[in-house]
Amino acid sequence: MQANIEISHLTKEYKGGIFALKDVSFTVGNGVFGLLGHNGAGKTTLMKALVTILAPSSGSVRVCGFDTVSQGAEVRARIGYLPQELVMYPSLSVFDFVNYMAELKGIHDRRAVRVVLEQVKMLDYSGRKIGQLSGGMKRRVGIAQALIGSPQILVVDEPTAGLDPEERVRFRSLLSQYARNGRTVLLSTHIVEDVHQICRELAVLRKGRLFYAGTSDDLLEKVRGKVKILRLEHENQLADIQRKSVVLSTTYESCGLTVRIMDENRNFQGAETAAATLEDAYVYCMGGKALG
């Protein structure tokens, strides 16, 4: 598989010896690739290095064979980017805003603006002011400006955060549809369900380090058979469970509580085995467990 994105020993260090990223390496091919991690995990820093906003302290990022530092113009010509917080101008119409963003990219074709607005189902609202749009509509306009020029690589940071379920489904469908014919979508999120639905491969970051990179099926396989369910009568029993294992979730009931745990050392022989989910594996990683 051809790598459209190659990240090699990427490190970003700030003053005071604070590392946002430390020795991160993985590759991204065609399709939708998920980048998972809590806030502060290093996802946004990695994406800013990818789209040439930040220069790495060491290591390298290559996009379609071009280095992000020495060949930044070539990289930017191949990337569409939707940051988590896109600055919009509320007094501009939808069409004028996307057209303005297109001109910043050197694209002076109003037909191209209409095409991307149609792609995100916003052409009928092209005359509406940005300030009059709902949150979901604004995210669609954000995707539209990223799609201008049909970039080879589409980078989106938390595109479904704060959206209702219907809008999230619409976004997942749009991203999946775009990632065809050799194109790549890098989806950065903390919403495991989004990754589960459309990403065959993913990477997990924790505190600036890479914890996992590979297929979602392989990640699930690493925790299969290790997820257990325990039923407790009293909440004070939970502290003992937490000392012995990673607690994945807790459900409080009228007669006690039920906990899902990662029983990697088979310390709980009487516990009921449960079907593992991608969210289980993610929570396990976030608990500090590197899955080798």
Side-chain angles (χ1 to χ4, degrees):
M1 178 183 67
Q2 179 184 357
N4 288 335
I5 300 172
E6 300 170 82
I7 298 170
S8 180
H9 302 289
L10 180 63
T11 296
K12 182 61 180 179
E13 181 181 6
Y14 292 104
K15 291 181 179 179
I18 298 173
F19 286 89
L21 294 169
K22 195 164 187 178
D23 198 27
V24 173
S25 297
F26 62 89
T27 60
V28 181
N30 303 336
V32 186
F33 186 96
L35 184 62
L36 277 170
H38 288 166
N39 291 335
K43 304 189 307 296
T44 297
T45 300
L46 187 150
M47 296 171 71
K48 286 183 176 180
L50 174 62
V51 301
T52 75
I53 294 175
L54 283 178
S57 301
S58 61
S60 66
V61 182
R62 299 186 73 84
V63 174
C64 300
F66 297 98
D67 182 81
T68 56
V69 175
S70 62
Q71 298 170 297
E74 296 286 0
V75 171
R76 288 187 290 273
R78 289 160 173 81
I79 283 185
Y81 179 42
L82 174 61
Q84 186 173 359
E85 298 294 336
L86 175 65
V87 177
M88 293 185 172
Y89 302 97
S91 61
L92 288 182
S93 70
V94 168
F95 186 94
D96 286 345
F97 173 74
V98 178
N99 187 59
Y100 169 70
M101 298 300 285
E103 290 183 349
L104 290 180
K105 296 181 181 181
I107 298 172
H108 307 283
D109 183 355
R110 296 173 72 86
R111 291 172 300 178
V113 175
R114 286 190 286 271
V115 167
V116 294
L117 289 177
E118 177 61 34
Q119 281 182 269
V120 301
K121 309 302 181 189
M122 286 295 292
L123 187 58
D124 290 343
Y125 302 94
S126 59
R128 185 172 296 187
K129 302 293 185 184
I130 295 289
Q132 299 173 333
L133 301 180
S134 67
M137 285 182 170
K138 287 180 180 177
R139 295 307 274 175
R140 279 192 260 167
V141 173
I143 286 285
Q145 63 82 30
L147 293 178
I148 283 286
S150 298
Q152 175 77 11
I153 311 291
L154 182 62
V155 179
V156 290
D157 193 358
E158 300 284 0
T160 65
L163 299 184
D164 61 43
E166 185 178 354
E167 281 286 356
R168 282 178 56 202
V169 170
R170 182 181 290 114
F171 261 91
R172 291 200 299 255
S173 177
L174 175 63
L175 296 177
S176 181
Q177 184 178 19
Y178 189 78
R180 299 183 300 179
N181 304 320
R183 290 188 292 213
T184 295
V185 174
L186 181 65
L187 167 63
S188 172
T189 184
H190 67 279
I191 302 174
V192 181
E193 179 65 16
D194 289 344
V195 173
H196 174 69
Q197 290 293 333
I198 61 174
C199 301
R200 193 181 71 84
E201 295 192 348
L202 69 150
V204 180
L205 291 177
R206 183 176 185 270
K207 295 183 178 179
R209 293 184 179 272
L210 180 70
F211 260 66
Y212 175 83
T215 68
S216 55
D217 287 343
D218 285 347
L219 181 57
L220 269 175
E221 192 60 38
K222 292 178 184 295
V223 298
R224 202 178 306 279
K226 299 177 183 178
V227 179
K228 303 290 181 64
I229 294 178
L230 290 174
R231 291 176 174 83
L232 309 179
E233 294 182 3
H234 305 289
E235 187 174 2
N236 57 14
Q237 296 174 275
L238 184 58
D240 183 57
I241 300 297
Q242 291 172 324
R243 284 192 292 268
K244 297 178 181 178
S245 65
V246 175
V247 175
L248 303 169
S249 65
T250 305
T251 304
Y252 289 84
E253 301 165 346
S254 59
C255 56
L257 61 156
T258 299
V259 294
R260 287 171 66 89
I261 63 169
M262 188 66 65
D263 185 19
E264 56 184 327
N265 297 318
R266 300 187 178 183
N267 293 324
F268 304 90
Q269 294 297 325
E272 176 186 342
T273 301
T277 67
L278 190 62
E279 188 168 75
D280 290 331
Y282 172 61
V283 172
Y284 189 57
C285 288
M286 291 301 98
K289 302 298 183 179
L291 299 176

